[in-house]
Structures are given as structure tokens and as C-alpha cells.
Amino acid sequence: MKKILFLSIFSSTIFLVLQAREIKNKIKPAAELAINPQELKVRKNCCSSNPYTLTAWSQSLYQSFKNLTAGVGVSNCHAIVNFPTVSFTMPESCFSHQTTFASMVTYSNFYVPTISAFRVIWGATARSFFYYGACPPNPILFPHPGIIENHVFGAKLIKQSDYKDYAGSPKDYNAMASVPAIAPADIEQIISCYVEKKGGYISTSEAANYDDVLSSKGIVIKVKLKTGASI
């Protein structure tokens, strides 16, 4: 069975990541935000307690992808664009390195049928979601002004073989834009998601990235396509 990678730019080389390229920025300048500089420091690595299990953020995002491809809990609320959307929530303290608050943050996940990427938005107002044809969470939970909003990031699924064959550096969302990705609309089922053990491809071939505090530790996703093939 072949495998695919979920690629974005939380660290420079990863299988699945928690953060990705900002497609359109509608954020207030940092000077206008009530940010405590101490809260912007990375206090810990989310994977530090057990680097071989999915973090709470990864689990939440993974489940939202599963629901989206299966049509479970999907909403369509835009009068014209009307992209399929699911909304989820996760602890603020794991959602962002900018805070250690214990409250919750909501986000929406959607995909555009002609684009080979999942897209995720988190923000404080419904209009930020409607702008992209996605449905906002109900209610919207975005409690801490120090957390930067994202409008929006894209997350691509790339075959493991294509990732390994790519010779450029860094291996991030922007640099690998030309590498073919698996379109969400072509996925019948997301089968599993797991973190490579120590000794996996990322840790042995790209150790500097694997050991970085922001590394996602080589998260791999297996999917079944609508053609019947498993990757």
C-alpha cells in the first residue's frame, strides 16, 4: 500500500502539519493587537511528552478532514460559492504557541473542488468565513486577542514517493507548489493517520527538521481514492 504525505509549512519538512501558508491576509497589524510579548514565546513543543502520537490539534484537524471527505456534519451556507464545510474546536493552549490559556478555539475546514488542498480558517467574525464561501462555526470561539487570525491556510496531501524525490530545499508548501497533490474531492475515505516512529524517513533522512521544536514528527495519512486505489 502506498502512502501520502500531508504537507504545509509548520516546519520545513513534514508529513502533516498544523499550520500553513496564509493565502490572504486580512489581519490587523501586530501593533494594533493586545499582545503580551511573553505570550509569543514558544514555551514547549506540543510533541515533547510523546513524539510518536498525534497532538490534540492534529487529532482535531485529522477528524475534520475525515468528516469532510465522508460528508459527515457538512454544511453549505453560501448563496453562490457554497463550498462544503465542517467546523471543529480544540484547546487554545495547543492550538497556538502564542498562548497558554485553557479556553477553546473554533475553526472551519473546507475544500474547493478544483483545488488540490484542504483549507482551514480560524477567526473572530463570521464575515471572515463567508468571504471564502465557507460556513462559520456556531458559536464562534476566538477568545484571546493575542492569537493571530488566519484567512486562510491550505494543506496538501502529497505522495510519499513524490516528497522523497523532490530535490529542492526547503520542502515546504511554497517551494513544492508544483508537486502534484491528491485533491480532497478525489478522496473516498481517509483510512488512518499516524506519526512515524524514531527511525522513520523524516527522522533518519531529515533529522534537523524532525528534531526542530516546531516539527510535526513525520505524520503520515493513508487514504482510499474514489477510483478504488489506496495511497
Side-chain angles (χ1 to χ4, degrees):
M1 179 183 289
K2 294 180 180 178
K3 301 170 184 175
I4 61 176
L5 309 180
F6 179 66
L7 177 69
S8 142
I9 59 168
F10 193 70
S11 72
S12 56
T13 51
I14 42 191
F15 295 126
L16 183 142
V17 294
L18 314 182
Q19 205 168 27
R21 178 174 64 94
E22 186 174 287
I23 295 173
K24 183 176 178 64
N25 185 351
K26 298 189 298 180
I27 303 169
K28 291 182 179 180
E32 297 181 22
L33 296 174
I35 298 176
N36 180 344
Q38 294 302 314
E39 292 174 353
L40 298 179
K41 296 179 180 179
V42 176
R43 288 178 165 80
K44 67 175 183 177
N45 175 5
C46 280
C47 298
S48 59
S49 58
N50 185 344
Y52 309 124
T53 59
L54 297 177
T55 65
W57 182 202
S58 298
Q59 291 175 30
S60 180
L61 195 60
Y62 166 58
Q63 188 61 46
S64 72
F65 292 155
K66 286 187 66 176
N67 287 15
L68 190 60
T69 56
V72 177
V74 171
S75 300
N76 297 91
C77 61
H78 195 283
I80 300 173
V81 184
N82 216 25
F83 295 133
T85 307
V86 296
S87 297
F88 264 71
T89 185
M90 75 159 300
E92 180 181 335
S93 58
C94 194
F95 167 83
S96 173
H97 286 306
Q98 295 171 293
T99 178
T100 57
F101 284 69
S103 54
M104 303 298 288
V105 172
T106 51
Y107 64 91
S108 287
N109 186 323
F110 70 106
Y111 69 82
V112 181
T114 57
I115 301 297
S116 50
F118 289 101
R119 291 184 169 181
V120 182
I121 308 173
W122 55 86
T125 63
R127 71 173 181 266
S128 298
F129 298 85
F130 287 133
Y131 182 90
Y132 294 97
C135 302
N138 185 18
I140 294 175
L141 302 177
F142 200 82
H144 188 50
I147 299 178
I148 297 173
E149 299 184 36
N150 195 309
H151 312 269
V152 300
F153 81 63
K156 299 194 298 186
L157 294 168
I158 294 179
K159 290 182 181 179
Q160 205 169 50
S161 56
D162 289 341
Y163 177 88
K164 293 178 180 179
D165 290 343
Y166 184 78
S169 180
K171 290 183 176 179
D172 63 21
Y173 194 103
N174 291 324
M176 300 184 74
S178 62
V179 178
I182 304 300
D186 294 335
I187 298 173
E188 178 179 305
Q189 178 186 9
I190 295 180
I191 300 170
S192 64
C193 182
Y194 62 91
V195 182
E196 283 192 317
K197 297 294 185 182
K198 194 71 173 179
Y201 177 82
I202 294 292
S203 64
T204 56
S205 301
E206 300 169 355
N209 293 295
Y210 185 90
D211 293 330
D212 188 273
V213 68
L214 298 181
S215 173
S216 64
K217 306 303 179 190
I219 300 179
V220 181
I221 293 180
K222 294 182 182 179
V223 305
K224 179 181 179 182
L225 301 180
K226 292 178 180 177
T227 60
S230 293
I231 302 179

